[in-house]
Amino acid sequence: MTTSPQSPGRPGKGGRSAKPEATIHNETINTLLNRRTIRAFTDETIDPDTVALLEETAQHAATSRYFNEWSAIRISDPTKARTIADMAHQDYVAQAPLLYIFLADQRRNADLAKREGIDIDSRGFVLNTGYVFLQSQNDAVLALHAMETAANSMGLGCVILGSVINDVNRMIDLLDLPRLVYPVLGLAIGHPAQDPPMKPRMPRPAQIFLDSYGRSDTPGTPDQALKDFDETVKLYYRDLRHMDAPRKTFSRIIADKACNPKEDHEPMLPSIQAQGFDMTR
């Protein structure tokens, strides 16, 4: 681990903050910068203490308004894991030693409010609004990311599963989700059985802006950065991932998916509303 002689932000001589080095790496930063998606796992199990620690890290993630508007279900039933893998069209999901489904959850808070005398069926009840649904969804994503980062720091591999909502109504039934609970993402964790190359990341000028959209504080324009990224992605898929695959730029990949029927899912609004969330409020 490489660190500066004095941590950034810590007072130096005369009470001034020490100037940080141009690049400061520590174990946390290295974990984040070396994050990869792992889709193949060994048969090695994950011990209960590690499982408990991973779950605790998720619980320490930021939560909007301290409402704790998320829950997670650890899938231990092999039959359920196999069903989820089939719904996701990803066989490796059933092979992961740990599998979680993260949920936007207002059921718990609604029950607590009801115990305190709140009529949760009244118009004045607001824990079922669209705003709250989005905050609950954010909470679930933040918790998942904390768990994934912790797992990666331990040398475990992870894959985040947006595919768990391919058939969202079936997922709701499979997990017996009550009203005001909705599946957001899955996370499969295990000991890696593969060592994939790092995927290239989009240049900062194309993705991180200054003060207004499309304005960069780094050299180059967003358009030029995207052109450079096109070439980088084309080389990545040709040379590192699929030697016999057509050479596609990032722009071409997006264009191919933009009107691909396989990318079209059932409308989600009916299922969200069926779970008790009023997205018009």
Side-chain angles (χ1 to χ4, degrees), residues 230-280:
D230 268 344
E231 294 305 311
T232 299
V233 170
K234 183 167 63 174
L235 291 174
Y236 167 79
Y237 278 103
R238 185 196 68 180
D239 297 339
L240 296 178
R241 289 295 294 271
H242 306 290
M243 302 292 284
D244 57 347
R247 297 177 62 178
K248 287 188 178 182
T249 64
F250 181 74
S251 297
R252 188 66 255 166
I253 292 171
I254 296 300
D256 288 346
K257 289 182 176 294
C259 293
N260 186 344
K262 292 182 179 180
E263 299 294 323
D264 190 21
H265 292 80
E266 291 294 321
M268 297 188 67
L269 183 59
S271 63
I272 293 171
Q273 292 178 326
Q275 286 302 102
F277 291 98
D278 183 354
M279 301 303 286
T280 66

Side-chain angles (χ1 to χ4, degrees), residues 153-270:
S153 76
M154 298 176 184
L156 298 170
C158 304
V159 53
I160 298 173
L161 305 164
S163 54
V164 298
I165 56 172
N166 281 353
D167 190 341
V168 69
N169 290 318
R170 188 179 176 193
M171 181 67 72
I172 289 169
D173 290 340
L174 180 71
L175 302 181
D176 300 316
L177 301 186
R179 285 173 62 83
L180 300 180
V181 179
Y182 198 82
V184 177
L185 288 170
L187 181 65
I189 306 173
H191 294 274
Q194 62 178 181
D195 186 23
M198 290 283 294
K199 276 187 176 180
R201 266 21 187 198
M202 190 171 285
R204 277 197 298 144
Q207 197 164 35
I208 299 177
F209 308 127
L210 179 66
D211 291 331
S212 60
Y213 191 88
R215 179 182 174 188
S216 175
D217 66 342
T218 55
T221 64
D223 283 346
Q224 183 57 53
L226 283 173
K227 290 178 182 178
D228 294 341
F229 189 54
D230 268 344
E231 294 305 311
T232 299
V233 170
K234 183 167 63 174
L235 291 174
Y236 167 79
Y237 278 103
R238 185 196 68 180
D239 297 339
L240 296 178
R241 289 295 294 271
H242 306 290
M243 302 292 284
D244 57 347
R247 297 177 62 178
K248 287 188 178 182
T249 64
F250 181 74
S251 297
R252 188 66 255 166
I253 292 171
I254 296 300
D256 288 346
K257 289 182 176 294
C259 293
N260 186 344
K262 292 182 179 180
E263 299 294 323
D264 190 21
H265 292 80
E266 291 294 321
M268 297 188 67
L269 183 59

Side-chain angles (χ1 to χ4, degrees), residues 69-209:
E69 301 163 304
W70 68 276
S71 294
I73 296 177
R74 186 191 333 137
I75 305 298
S76 63
D77 183 342
T79 301
K80 283 192 175 183
R82 179 71 263 168
T83 300
I84 292 171
D86 291 342
M87 284 192 284
H89 307 299
Q90 294 164 316
D91 192 63
Y92 51 80
V93 170
Q95 300 166 2
L98 273 180
L99 174 61
Y100 291 88
I101 307 298
F102 282 76
L103 312 165
D105 183 2
Q106 285 298 336
R107 179 75 262 160
R108 178 172 50 244
N109 287 345
D111 288 343
L112 290 172
K114 186 175 182 179
R115 290 175 197 169
E116 294 294 320
I118 300 299
D119 181 0
I120 64 172
D121 295 318
S122 70
R123 182 68 180 176
F125 180 71
V126 296
L127 295 185
N128 62 346
T129 63
Y131 172 82
V132 170
F133 175 80
L134 291 176
Q135 294 288 32
S136 304
Q137 192 175 46
N138 291 342
D139 266 20
V141 172
L142 290 169
L144 178 147
H145 178 59
M147 181 183 283
E148 186 214 19
T149 301
N152 287 333
S153 76
M154 298 176 184
L156 298 170
C158 304
V159 53
I160 298 173
L161 305 164
S163 54
V164 298
I165 56 172
N166 281 353
D167 190 341
V168 69
N169 290 318
R170 188 179 176 193
M171 181 67 72
I172 289 169
D173 290 340
L174 180 71
L175 302 181
D176 300 316
L177 301 186
R179 285 173 62 83
L180 300 180
V181 179
Y182 198 82
V184 177
L185 288 170
L187 181 65
I189 306 173
H191 294 274
Q194 62 178 181
D195 186 23
M198 290 283 294
K199 276 187 176 180
R201 266 21 187 198
M202 190 171 285
R204 277 197 298 144
Q207 197 164 35
I208 299 177
F209 308 127

